[in-house]
Each structure stands twice: as C-alpha cells, then as structure tokens.
Amino acid sequence: MLLVFSLLVDLVLGEFPSIIHPVIYMGFLGKRIEKMKNFRFFWGMFSLLLELFFWFFVCRLTMKVSEFFGIYFLSSTFSIKALYRHVERCKTDDEKVLKRHVSFIVSRDVSMLNKNQLYSAALESLSENISDSIIAPLFYYLLFGVCGALIYRVVNTYDALFGYRTKRYEWFGKFAARCDDILNFIPARLTAILIVPFNFKSILYLKKYRKIKINAMYPMAAFAGVLNLGFEKVGTYKLEGKKVEREDIDRGLKLYKKVVFVWIILIMVMEVLKKKIY
C-alpha cells in the first residue's frame, strides 16, 4: 500500500513544494564543503558519505514513527507528473519561450541552439530521466525499501550538483559521479529493455550508440530509435534520424506514458511477489 499511495501522491499532486521537498535540501553539506581548496576528492567523498548517513538515519527514524513518512520520502524520490509537465511546456513555436523551458530541464547552454536542437534536448532529457527519475528510484525501492530509494536520490542529486568535468567540480564531484554510474548501470539498461518493444528497430540504435555514454545513452538511443529521431548534443554526440520537430514532443510524451505505465505494473507485481516470498 505504501507504494500505491506514493504513486498516487506523485500522479495526482506532482512534486512537493520546494520548502518541504527533501531533494531541495540534499547536497546542503556539499555546497558548504565544496569551497575547500585542498584535498577536494576527499572532501567530496566525505560530504557525500556523511549526507548519505544523515538521510538514511532520518528515513529509518521517521518511518518508525509513522508510515506516512515512508510515503512522503518515497514519493519525493521519483517524478512522473512533473517530468511530463516540464517537457509538455516545450511544445511551443515561440523560440524564446522554448529556450526558457528547455533550460529548466537540461544543463547545456541553450542560447545558441535552434528549434530542432531545442526540441531534441527536451526529448533527450525526457528519455534519460525515465531512468534517473522513475525506473532507478523504484528499482532500489524494490530491492532495499524506502531508504534504498532515498539513498539513490541523494547520490543522483550529488551527481547533478557536482558531477561535472570542470575546473571547479572535477575532483570534488568525481566520487559522486562514479557512485552514480554504478547505481544507474542496471536501471539504465532496464529502461532500454522497457522501451525497445515499442519498436524493435531501436535495437539498431542501441548497438550503434550505446557506448557513447556509460549509462545515459541506453534509454536515449532506445527512445530515439523507437521514434526514428536524430538526437543531437552539439560537439558531444549525434544520433542519425529525422530532425526533431514540435509534433515529436507529443510522440515522445505518448511513448513516455506507455513506458511508465508498463514499469508501474511490473513494479507493483514484483512488490506483491516479494511480499508473498518473504
């Protein structure tokens, strides 16, 4: 029932307001320690491990008080409705508005991108976040419960905050980035497996492009293959296919809903089987 209520909270209400959303406070320690100039790899590792311990302790302690906290924490680890809404807002012909909405969901500089590249960026983010924002947290919930999903979200948030190969974050965020790679290894490939059946020609995309990124390219290539689209991040990768147009946002969102629906059914069935076994 905890899983069902958590899904309902997200599907009906969407994300919590920022002031009560746990993810907003993840990385609070890293943001302060990150300013240390020496031994940056050590401080990055130390801050992540300390914060993991903190959130694990809070999760275990509060769930002993009430199952409500389990619903609260679990529903904060995934984002089904909000991700859909963010991408849906990119369904516009107004380039200025489009750039603003795309900038909310990607880390790249959108100022010099044309419309096709902006639409592509929106769908790339959608496909990658099926894994990061939905499949992975629920996968770790199934394995390790609410605290497992929360631990995943802390690591993923640290990677989003500090996992960049820049002068500022190269060493401080390296430990978080490697942990994120490890935790996403199975979910990324599982996401691709869920996407592929909607068009088996996408297997060709997977075979050709999967090695560009250790994890992210699996759901991305599968998604692009199903829709026969050419995703592109200028200077980083370019997948063959037709240019992404405004109407492809709708096609991407329809595929997103199908994949998420299948995953929800699977995770609920596995939850029932898990309870019967244990």
Side-chain angles (χ1 to χ4, degrees), residues 120 123-124 127 195 199 201-202 205-206 209 217-232 239-242 244 251 255:
S120 176
L123 288 185
E124 289 164 47
S127 59
I195 295 171
N199 183 347
K201 289 182 180 179
S202 59
Y205 273 68
L206 273 173
Y209 301 114
M217 193 51 67
Y218 277 83
M220 204 181 296
F223 206 84
V226 169
L227 301 174
N228 190 31
L229 295 175
F231 288 171
E232 178 185 10
L239 281 61
E240 293 177 4
K242 84 176 192 70
V244 186
R251 295 176 63 221
L255 177 57

Side-chain angles (χ1 to χ4, degrees), residues 72-90:
Y72 166 69
F73 280 123
L74 181 58
S75 59
S76 73
T77 64
F78 57 88
S79 181
I80 300 173
K81 184 176 182 178
L83 178 56
Y84 183 93
R85 294 296 184 216
H86 280 307
V87 177
E88 187 181 41
R89 293 189 188 104
C90 298

Side-chain angles (χ1 to χ4, degrees), residues 116-140:
N116 299 115
Q117 292 167 337
L118 289 165
Y119 292 134
S120 176
L123 288 185
E124 289 164 47
S125 179
L126 178 66
S127 59
E128 185 177 356
N129 277 291
I130 293 175
S131 177
D132 290 1
S133 297
I134 302 167
I135 305 296
L138 290 176
F139 173 78
Y140 285 106

Side-chain angles (χ1 to χ4, degrees), residues 4 24 66 88 92 168 173 208 220 230 238 255:
V4 173
I24 297 298
S66 171
E88 187 181 41
T92 176
R168 179 176 179 179
K208 188 172 183 178
M220 204 181 296
K238 185 174 182 179
L255 177 57

Side-chain angles (χ1 to χ4, degrees), residues 13-257:
L13 302 178
E15 288 188 321
F16 294 122
S18 296
I19 195 169
I20 60 168
H21 202 307
V23 175
I24 297 298
Y25 301 99
M26 292 175 183
F28 71 93
L29 186 60
K31 289 174 184 176
R32 286 153 180 77
I33 294 181
E34 182 268 323
K35 297 174 184 178
M36 302 287 288
K37 293 183 178 180
N38 298 317
F39 307 107
R40 292 182 60 74
F41 177 82
F42 168 78
W43 287 118
M45 179 176 65
F46 172 77
S47 63
L48 174 57
L49 292 175
L50 194 60
E51 199 154 339
L52 286 172
F53 175 79
F54 169 80
W55 286 105
F56 178 78
F57 175 77
V58 170
C59 180
R60 289 295 298 271
L61 185 65
T62 55
M63 285 187 64
K64 287 180 179 179
V65 176
S66 171
E67 194 170 273
F68 164 80
F69 288 104
I71 297 170
Y72 166 69
F73 280 123
L74 181 58
S75 59
S76 73
T77 64
F78 57 88
S79 181
I80 300 173
K81 184 176 182 178
L83 178 56
Y84 183 93
R85 294 296 184 216
H86 280 307
V87 177
E88 187 181 41
R89 293 189 188 104
C90 298
K91 250 184 352 181
T92 176
D93 288 317
D94 187 319
E95 192 166 329
K96 187 176 180 180
V97 174
L98 179 58
K99 284 183 178 180
R100 186 173 76 251
H101 288 309
V102 172
S103 69
F104 293 150
I105 56 176
V106 300
S107 57
R108 75 191 72 169
D109 180 11
V110 302
S111 61
M112 301 302 291
L113 301 183
N114 60 39
K115 278 188 179 181
N116 299 115
Q117 292 167 337
L118 289 165
Y119 292 134
S120 176
L123 288 185
E124 289 164 47
S125 179
L126 178 66
S127 59
E128 185 177 356
N129 277 291
I130 293 175
S131 177
D132 290 1
S133 297
I134 302 167
I135 305 296
L138 290 176
F139 173 78
Y140 285 106
Y141 162 75
L142 187 68
L143 291 181
F144 306 112
V146 176
C147 294
L150 196 64
I151 290 300
Y152 168 79
R153 180 53 58 214
V154 174
V155 172
N156 187 249
T157 302
Y158 254 72
D159 180 58
L161 290 170
F162 310 115
Y164 300 99
R165 290 184 174 178
T166 61
K167 184 178 179 180
R168 179 176 179 179
Y169 293 127
E170 172 73 26
W171 287 103
F172 186 83
K174 191 174 287 292
F175 181 72
R178 295 295 78 81
C179 288
D180 188 71
D181 287 343
I182 293 168
L183 290 180
N184 276 306
F185 189 85
I186 294 175
R189 286 150 182 80
L190 177 58
T191 304
I193 291 170
L194 292 171
I195 295 171
V196 163
F198 293 100
N199 183 347
F200 284 103
K201 289 182 180 179
S202 59
I203 294 174
L204 299 176
Y205 273 68
L206 273 173
K207 289 179 69 176
K208 188 172 183 178
Y209 301 114
R210 69 184 190 277
K211 293 182 180 179
I212 294 176
K213 287 187 171 184
I214 188 172
N215 292 321
M217 193 51 67
Y218 277 83
M220 204 181 296
F223 206 84
V226 169
L227 301 174
N228 190 31
L229 295 175
F231 288 171
E232 178 185 10
K233 183 176 182 180
V234 180
T236 305
Y237 55 78
K238 185 174 182 179
L239 281 61
E240 293 177 4
K242 84 176 192 70
K243 289 184 178 180
V244 186
E245 306 287 349
R246 180 179 179 274
E247 58 268 23
D248 292 316
I249 298 293
D250 269 328
R251 295 176 63 221
L253 288 172
K254 286 177 182 177
L255 177 57
Y256 167 78
K257 287 192 287 187

